[in-house]
Amino acid sequence: MLAAALLSLALLDSVHACSTSPPSAVGIVCRITKPAFLVLNQETAKVIQTAFQRASYPDIKGEKAVVLLGHIKYGLHNIQISHLTIASSQVELAEAKSIDISIQNVSVIFKGTLNYGYMSAWGLSINQSVGFEIDSAIDLQINTQLICDSGRVRTDALDCHLSFHKLLLNLHGEHEPGWIKRLFTNFISFTLQLVLKGQVCKEISVISNGMADFVQSRAASILSDGDIGVDISLTGLPIITATYLESHHKGCFIYKNVSEDLILPAFSPSLLGDSRMLYFWFSEQVLDSLAKAAFQDGRLTLNLTGDKFKLFSSFPLSQAQVTVHCLTRPRISCQNKGVVVSSSVMVKFLFPHPDGRHSVAHSFEEDIITTIQASYSQKKLFLSLLDFQITPKTASNESESSSKAVRSFLKLMITSVGIPEVMSRLQVALTILMNSKGLHFFDIINPEIIPQDGSLLLQMDFGFPEHLLVDFLQSLN
């Protein structure tokens, strides 16, 4: 279940600092539940196999006084492994303590060279070198704690135990008598177990923290684009219960390395369940912070051309050009009915004059309030417009735009073309952005995006994100 402990960090997002803020005041909450750990457990064998293969097994040397034979010196050299298999593994979440991983019956063969020599009491000197194989069956118990170190989440897998319930030494030599095999089995078995335990557990700890760094860096990349990033510093240590692992984050967006402190709301654990594999809870302050960052980066603009206005046959719009941009930063709030976006926009359009020699420019300002519901399926984001309100404020070229026909046209253009076009382009742009970060590689099952008063909840099941593990294992080479 080591894979579950490590990959859960990817789903918990990146952590840049471990804050001392009150743990109940949060912007983003991530909860990964026991069913998710069971899915992640499927690939445990790959991680454990990598740990055994990457472990550096030092030479084992010793010396023993034996009656009649005198002092025997021996050394096991060039120790390597092969034929590793794992029978089964389980995971348990120890309340407020650790992720306990139990791996049963790891069957592995160690190969190498045994050198030994002795001087007998009657002066006979013998020095030999033979190949050996050690057929072993091992159980592992790894209790992984999540700690905060130098501003990042790290894993402490030092509570690691190896139990050998089989350890058979086979020597490959034509003339080796049975007593040699029995002798060295007794000599080296205890030392060998200590060495293997130390090296394998050490490598498991190294891989654990290597993957923690890998997935935190990957998550930081997923949650950033250009000059926009996210401050998802922990507001406290991760919480472990018998049914889920949960982390709390600040969640404010960063623009050009500058962020502002948000007044974060209180979070209650009862807001999330434990029947779905993965939950993300976003306060409306986080979404509002995103809108501010997007506005500062000049991303809230839209250009339309004449082919979008073919339905308005009463106006010569085949050459029309329209630009829409936000005058001030939009405001986002969450309600049970949907996500409400309030914005003040400036619309400028240029269309041909009927005489064909001149063009007429109009610009006007509107306050627009839209209520949106989002959904995700077939690896695409969909936005549905539930409600909207438009309040005209000012207009240029008053002598013409104040006419009833032009006013009617402007309102129809906004409701029939402007808002739907903004929604359509936004959902496409967000889908492209998410896919550019690799979201489409995940097998997301039955996702739900649920607006609540003051927050937005995402809950879903998922298939094993094998590409993430493959990328990490390849990075070790």
Side-chain angles (χ1 to χ4, degrees):
M1 194 46 232
L2 179 64
L6 299 180
L7 289 174
S8 65
L9 290 173
L11 301 172
L12 289 173
D13 298 326
S14 168
V15 179
H16 300 301
C18 299
S19 172
T20 57
S21 300
S24 60
V26 298
I28 300 175
V29 176
C30 174
R31 177 179 291 184
I32 180 169
T33 65
K34 184 69 175 289
F37 280 94
L38 297 179
V39 169
L40 295 171
N41 187 42
Q42 297 171 3
E43 302 297 319
T44 296
K46 293 181 181 179
V47 178
I48 295 300
Q49 184 175 23
T50 300
F52 272 87
Q53 291 173 338
R54 282 177 51 85
S56 176
Y57 302 105
D59 293 344
I60 300 174
K61 297 179 180 180
E63 183 175 343
K64 183 77 172 179
V66 179
V67 177
L68 299 180
L69 294 180
H71 279 81
I72 296 179
K73 296 182 178 180
Y74 63 89
L76 277 70
H77 307 279
N78 194 29
I79 301 175
Q80 301 177 6
I81 72 164
S82 64
H83 300 91
L84 186 147
T85 60
I86 294 177
S88 63
S89 62
Q90 290 84 36
V91 60
E92 294 295 336
L93 299 176
E95 185 94 19
K97 184 179 179 183
S98 62
I99 304 169
D100 296 343
I101 304 158
S102 178
I103 302 167
Q104 289 79 39
N105 201 12
V106 179
S107 177
V108 59
I109 294 177
F110 296 88
K111 296 181 178 181
T113 302
L114 169 64
N115 297 328
Y116 66 93
Y118 59 87
M119 178 73 71
S120 69
W122 52 88
L124 179 62
S125 177
I126 295 179
N127 291 282
Q128 286 282 6
S129 179
V130 297
F132 73 86
E133 286 187 359
I134 299 172
D135 188 4
S136 65
I138 308 169
D139 291 340
L140 286 84
Q141 179 68 36
I142 308 166
N143 301 326
T144 304
Q145 294 181 338
L146 301 183
I147 61 176
C148 206
D149 180 33
S150 300
R152 295 179 70 88
V153 163
R154 297 184 67 80
T155 62
D156 183 350
L158 297 180
D159 189 5
C160 171
H161 304 278
L162 271 68
S163 301
F164 289 78
H165 49 87
K166 182 174 74 171
L167 196 150
L168 300 177
L169 173 65
N170 296 306
L171 301 179
H172 302 293
E174 295 181 1
H175 307 292
E176 295 305 326
W179 66 267
I180 291 291
K181 178 179 177 180
R182 291 193 299 272
L183 177 67
F184 284 111
T185 297
N186 293 333
F187 280 3
I188 69 176
S189 60
F190 179 73
T191 303
L192 179 63
Q193 291 182 43
L194 290 179
V195 170
L196 295 181
K197 175 187 182 300
Q199 295 305 115
V200 171
C201 288
K202 176 182 177 181
E203 191 59 38
I204 287 175
S205 182
V206 169
I207 290 179
S208 297
N209 282 304
M211 192 165 192
D213 289 337
F214 172 82
V215 297
Q216 288 178 90
S217 298
R218 176 65 65 89
S221 174
I222 290 175
L223 294 172
S224 64
D225 184 63
D227 290 328
I228 299 177
V230 187
D231 179 4
I232 45 178
S233 306
L234 283 178
T235 61
L237 288 176
I239 297 169
I240 300 176
T241 75
T243 57
Y244 62 80
L245 171 65
E246 183 176 283
S247 62
H248 296 175
H249 309 266
K250 285 186 176 180
C252 59
F253 278 76
I254 303 169
Y255 181 60
K256 293 185 176 180
N257 297 320
V258 177
S259 65
E260 63 177 352
D261 289 333
L262 297 178
I263 300 176
L264 298 174
F267 170 80
S268 170
S270 62
L271 293 172
L272 304 181
D274 58 12
S275 61
R276 304 300 300 272
M277 292 182 182
L278 184 63
Y279 296 83
F280 289 105
W281 180 91
F282 297 88
S283 72
E284 65 182 12
Q285 288 85 346
V286 168
L287 302 180
D288 194 55
S289 177
L290 169 61
K292 179 181 179 180
F295 173 75
Q296 291 175 319
D297 204 41
R299 301 192 183 199
L300 304 182
T301 62
L302 176 67
N303 295 307
L304 304 176
T305 55
D307 59 345
K308 300 294 181 182
F309 311 107
K310 292 179 180 178
L311 66 142
F312 303 111
S313 58
S314 59
F315 286 86
L317 295 176
S318 60
Q319 302 300 318
Q321 296 181 4
V322 178
T323 62
V324 183
H325 69 274
C326 289
L327 292 174
T328 59
R329 57 162 294 190
R331 295 288 179 175
I332 294 181
S333 63
C334 296
Q335 302 176 11
N336 288 331
K337 63 180 180 179
V339 177
V340 179
V341 182
S342 304
S343 57
S344 178
V345 300
M346 174 66 73
V347 181
K348 296 181 179 180
F349 63 94
L350 183 71
F351 59 86
H353 193 276
D355 63 14
R357 293 180 297 173
H358 301 88
S359 58
V360 179
H362 293 278
S363 65
F364 58 95
E365 182 182 342
E366 307 274 356
D367 286 341
I368 300 178
I369 301 175
T370 57
T371 303
I372 301 168
Q373 174 66 64
S375 61
Y376 186 85
S377 65
Q378 300 178 340
K379 302 187 183 299
K380 294 180 181 179
L381 179 70
F382 296 93
L383 300 176
S384 300
L385 181 64
L386 302 181
D387 187 25
F388 67 89
Q389 301 175 30
I390 300 176
T391 304
K393 293 181 68 176
T394 61
S396 66
N397 205 345
E398 282 291 334
S399 59
E400 294 192 39
S401 64
S402 60
S403 71
K404 185 175 181 180
V406 172
R407 282 287 187 182
S408 177
F409 158 70
L410 296 179
K411 182 176 181 180
L412 185 61
M413 186 195 74
I414 293 173
T415 57
S416 301
V417 178
I419 294 177
E421 185 67 17
V422 170
M423 298 279 289
S424 174
R425 293 198 183 188
L426 184 59
Q427 68 185 18
V428 170
L430 290 175
T431 297
I432 292 174
L433 177 60
M434 291 187 297
N435 289 344
S436 72
K437 304 298 184 177
L439 185 64
H440 58 301
F441 290 126
F442 286 85
D443 182 16
I444 299 176
I445 302 170
N446 298 327
E448 296 178 87
I449 304 175
I450 304 172
Q452 303 171 327
D453 282 340
S455 64
L456 186 69
L457 172 63
L458 278 63
Q459 57 186 36
M460 67 199 75
D461 298 325
F462 61 87
F464 182 81
E466 188 167 350
H467 75 282
L468 191 67
L469 181 58
V470 170
D471 289 348
F472 169 66
L473 295 180
Q474 290 177 346
S475 72
L476 296 176
N477 298 329

